[in-house]
Amino acid sequence: MAVTILEALQNANYNLDNMRAMPGLYPIVKYQLNNALVLLEKGWPIYQEVEPLLEEFGGVENVPNYTRRIFEPPSPADVAKPLLGVRYTREKE
């Protein structure tokens, strides 16, 4: 199941609280935080799912900056979560 950027941050916070009991969580927490922060810095909405982007672009560093197609009709997510549930597009190279 794919998690949103917000859920990745919540998971990282939960895992930080449990690192004393399970020190092996450190790489997972670092990975979750890095993915969420890089996507937010690139302008992605907080309700965007992380895994589909990583699968499509091969890693968080390859994900383009967020842009919205002007001609794209709003999806049900756009209507339900204004400014947050918008689909992404690749930038022209």
Side-chain angles (χ1 to χ4, degrees), residues 4-75:
T4 65
I5 295 172
L6 176 61
E7 291 167 335
L9 290 170
Q10 291 169 336
N11 290 342
N13 185 51
Y14 175 81
N15 288 333
L16 279 173
D17 290 340
N18 292 301
M19 276 186 49
R20 284 193 179 176
M22 299 176 64
L25 289 176
Y26 176 76
I28 295 169
V29 172
K30 185 160 177 50
Y31 180 75
Q32 290 170 328
L33 286 173
N34 181 61
N35 287 345
L37 290 175
V38 169
L39 292 173
L40 289 173
E41 287 172 350
K42 291 184 175 196
W44 287 90
I46 200 155
Y47 290 105
Q48 173 65 45
E49 290 184 342
V50 176
E51 286 84 1
L53 292 175
L54 299 181
E55 290 172 8
E56 181 173 350
F57 297 104
V60 73
E61 293 80 18
N62 299 328
V63 175
N65 289 337
Y66 175 80
T67 57
R68 180 186 172 139
R69 289 186 246 166
I70 294 172
F71 58 84
E72 180 180 348
S75 70

